[in-house]
Amino acid sequence: SGINAEYWVEISRERIREKHEEIMKRREFAKKTKAAAGGSAVNPLFPINEDTEMQAAIDSAIEEFKKPKVEKELEKPKKKKKKNTGTKDEAAMKIVVKDNSDELCMQEYEDLCYTPIRVDTIDMDALVYTDSKILKEIQELRTQVISSRGLATRETKAGTRDIDLEEQAQALMGAAEEDEELFNNDIELDSKTYSWADKYKPRKPRFYNRVHTGYEWNKYNQTHYDQDNPPPKIVQGYKFNIFYTDLIDPSVTPEYKLTVFKDDKEFCLLRITSGPPYEDIAFKVLNKEWEYSNRYSFKSQFSQGIFQLWFQFKKYRYRR
């Protein structure tokens, strides 16, 4: 516990008051004694016969006043040679007194009237804690704990698992055909605050996608194009493979949602949502009707950490 500064300031002021009253009484006594010694008929208030005794008393009072209280309190236990069982005032007086403390004490009294100077903790050899220093130490301790438990390599292990899952997804989709291309361009979504963000660090899932393109030989294209002059390729479907290797609750299946762009009705936003610690991920796809039949390889499932969404667009016959 710290020292109660206000308490000791009040004690010092009380002692100065007492000493002042004592000196004033002695001076009054000296005046009356001097008047009596000069032939006055008034009897002295206190029985002192000579001026030397009066001057000695005044000098003694002044010396006593000049003497710091700290030294007087330190002298008392030395004379008694007993254990200090007194009040808090006596116990608190056990401090080291510097050399020439008499002059220092009197100088402080004249300059500051015993008002203590405010001490800046920065100039002291003291351990000072600030908010930034505490946060820095906490961060260092967390880093040590993570390193000791081997958690620093978790991301590396997760990346290795994602590579294995990518090979697994390639095996499920088969070798890329001539009409298939990689489709790994996701769309940046607006920032979203997740309810679980204070427990887990949100991150985007990895993915491996393909887009299926080809020629559509409807009546119109058959009439206007041939094998040597084929029609332009169009997107006929997509195969999405999203990797959720570290889902906190693997029993929860990711979900997808389609939203048509307001400024471009030909395209829509495919948004896939899962659970912690993964953020939502989105892709821009054509706004066409899907084939939901297994005959056209439609697939929407979540198994072994991979969410698969494969679909083809419906083909419409050309009518004149």
Side-chain angles (χ1 to χ4, degrees):
S1 62
I3 298 176
N4 190 342
E6 295 181 359
Y7 170 78
W8 289 111
V9 168
E10 190 62 29
I11 290 295
S12 301
R13 289 176 178 173
E14 185 63 26
R15 289 175 176 169
I16 291 172
R17 251 185 256 114
E18 293 175 357
K19 184 57 66 177
H20 177 71
E21 292 177 358
E22 182 181 349
I23 291 175
M24 294 304 294
K25 288 181 179 180
R26 290 179 180 275
R27 287 182 179 178
E28 185 66 23
F29 158 72
K31 289 179 181 179
K32 293 182 178 181
T33 307
K34 188 174 182 180
S40 175
V42 180
N43 292 328
L45 184 62
F46 297 98
I48 295 181
N49 298 322
E50 297 181 359
D51 292 343
T52 54
E53 294 182 5
M54 176 194 67
Q55 189 62 35
I58 294 174
D59 294 340
S60 175
I62 293 174
E63 290 297 328
E64 184 70 17
F65 172 71
K66 289 182 178 181
K67 193 171 184 180
K69 290 291 181 180
V70 178
E71 289 187 355
K72 286 188 278 187
E73 293 294 338
L74 289 174
E75 290 174 359
K76 290 181 181 179
K78 292 180 181 179
K79 293 178 181 179
K80 294 180 180 179
K81 295 183 180 181
K82 293 181 180 180
K83 285 188 176 181
N84 187 13
T85 57
T87 61
K88 293 182 179 179
D89 298 351
E90 297 175 354
M93 285 299 177
K94 291 183 178 181
I95 59 176
V96 179
V97 181
K98 297 180 181 180
D99 297 336
N100 300 325
S101 57
D102 294 348
E103 292 79 4
L104 180 61
C105 182
M106 290 301 299
Q107 186 66 31
E108 288 181 353
Y109 172 73
E110 294 175 359
D111 296 342
L112 306 171
C113 296
Y114 273 105
T115 301
I117 302 174
R118 182 179 179 83
V119 179
D120 191 354
T121 55
I122 299 177
D123 298 333
M124 299 176 60
D125 295 333
L127 188 60
V128 180
Y129 284 94
T130 59
D131 293 342
S132 58
K133 187 175 181 179
I134 293 173
L135 291 176
K136 185 178 179 181
E137 291 183 356
I138 292 174
Q139 190 63 32
E140 291 177 355
L141 292 174
R142 286 177 178 172
T143 304
Q144 293 177 4
V145 172
I146 291 174
S147 301
S148 63
R149 294 183 180 179
L151 299 180
T153 58
R154 176 175 290 180
E155 294 183 359
T156 304
K157 293 180 180 179
T160 305
R161 287 201 304 270
D162 290 341
I163 294 173
D164 297 339
L165 292 174
E166 184 175 324
E167 295 176 353
Q168 184 178 349
Q170 291 180 7
L172 292 173
M173 290 188 295
E177 300 178 1
E178 183 180 355
D179 296 333
E180 288 185 342
E181 298 177 2
L182 288 177
F183 181 69
N184 291 331
N185 297 324
D186 61 320
I187 295 179
E188 290 293 332
L189 297 172
D190 296 335
S191 59
K192 177 182 176 182
T193 302
Y194 299 90
S195 59
W196 42 264
D198 57 338
K199 295 183 180 179
Y200 313 102
K201 183 179 180 180
R203 66 176 186 266
K204 278 190 176 182
R206 293 170 62 88
F207 51 86
Y208 183 80
N209 306 330
R210 287 181 186 174
V211 57
H212 181 71
T213 60
Y215 303 112
E216 188 175 1
W217 293 105
N218 51 33
K219 292 294 184 180
Y220 178 85
N221 289 341
Q222 289 178 13
T223 304
H224 296 83
Y225 299 96
D226 54 26
Q227 295 292 337
D228 296 330
N229 184 26
K233 284 185 176 182
I234 62 172
V235 175
Q236 296 179 342
Y238 298 91
K239 291 182 179 179
F240 293 96
N241 301 276
I242 317 298
F243 306 138
Y244 296 105
T245 54
D246 295 324
L247 270 179
I248 302 302
D249 187 3
S251 63
V252 178
T253 303
E255 300 178 350
Y256 66 90
K257 181 181 179 181
L258 290 171
T259 306
V260 180
F261 288 105
K262 294 181 180 180
D263 54 348
D264 191 356
K265 302 293 183 181
E266 293 185 0
F267 293 91
C268 60
L269 182 73
L270 174 63
R271 186 174 190 141
I272 302 175
T273 305
S274 64
Y278 292 103
E279 299 176 341
D280 295 352
I281 191 169
F283 303 92
K284 185 178 181 180
V285 299
L286 284 174
N287 184 20
K288 291 185 177 181
E289 192 174 357
W290 295 7
E291 288 281 6
Y292 290 97
S293 174
N294 292 333
R295 177 184 174 185
Y296 296 96
S297 302
F298 176 79
K299 185 181 291 186
S300 176
Q301 67 176 16
F302 179 60
S303 176
Q304 298 180 358
I306 304 177
F307 176 66
Q308 295 177 305
L309 180 62
W310 301 358
F311 58 89
Q312 298 285 336
F313 295 125
K314 284 187 176 182
K315 297 178 181 181
Y316 297 98
R317 293 183 179 182
Y318 172 71
R319 295 181 182 179
R320 292 184 181 180

